[in-house]
Amino acid sequence: MTQIIKLKTLTSTNDYAEQLLAKGEVEEGTVIWAEEQTAGKGQGANTWESEPGKNLTFSLILHPHFIHPSLQFMISKAVSLGVLEYAKTVLPGISCGLKWPNDICAGEKKLGGILIRHMISGERIVS
């Protein structure tokens, strides 16, 4: 069963996920969901703030052990293309696209961004 950890305010769901992983094994599929992020992660050193209850701000923990680290971009590509295809189904008639590496756009507006971070140990992705 997927565990959903829902919190009112966090600096970053990504930081919280990393803290859980550092403490030990975290079940695959665990979702960390915050109503508000005060210092969400963006690309590079960018941060992202959200208005409480106005955005989907969550992190999903996966353990893709079966993917070699040299192919880790394929995870980003698959997730981005999957979200794009879903956006097209719920926004018919609106031109949806990707601004690589991680922005989902509809028309001229950014719908959201996807940040995927990996932990690599030797020759495998551990999370």
Side-chain angles (χ1 to χ4, degrees):
M1 175 131 186
T2 299
Q3 180 181 11
I4 298 175
I5 302 168
K6 185 176 180 188
L7 302 161
K8 186 116 180 110
T9 303
L10 280 178
T11 53
S12 161
T13 60
N14 212 289
D15 285 346
Y16 193 88
E18 284 186 9
Q19 290 168 12
L20 289 178
L21 288 163
K23 289 179 184 176
E25 194 64 32
V26 179
E27 183 180 335
E28 183 159 32
T30 297
V31 175
I32 296 91
W33 175 20
E35 289 183 31
E36 175 185 29
Q37 284 191 130
T38 57
K41 301 292 181 190
Q43 190 174 12
N46 294 334
T47 59
W48 185 77
E49 293 183 24
S50 65
E51 291 183 60
K54 299 262 183 173
N55 301 279
L56 292 174
T57 50
F58 66 92
S59 290
L60 170 64
I61 296 175
L62 299 174
H63 303 295
H65 305 297
F66 58 92
I67 297 176
H68 190 274
S70 66
L71 300 173
Q72 62 185 307
F73 179 69
M74 293 300 156
I75 297 170
S76 297
K77 190 174 180 179
V79 170
S80 295
L81 290 171
V83 171
L84 174 62
E85 288 305 309
Y86 179 74
K88 288 177 180 179
T89 66
V90 297
L91 299 169
I94 298 176
S95 175
C96 295
L98 296 173
K99 179 181 168 200
W100 289 106
N102 66 339
D103 290 344
I104 309 297
C105 302
E108 298 296 316
K109 297 190 179 204
K110 177 179 173 178
L111 292 178
I114 298 169
L115 175 64
I116 297 178
R117 295 168 71 173
H118 305 282
M119 291 180 174
I120 297 173
S121 178
E123 294 217 2
R124 61 182 237 181
I125 298 173
V126 292
S127 64

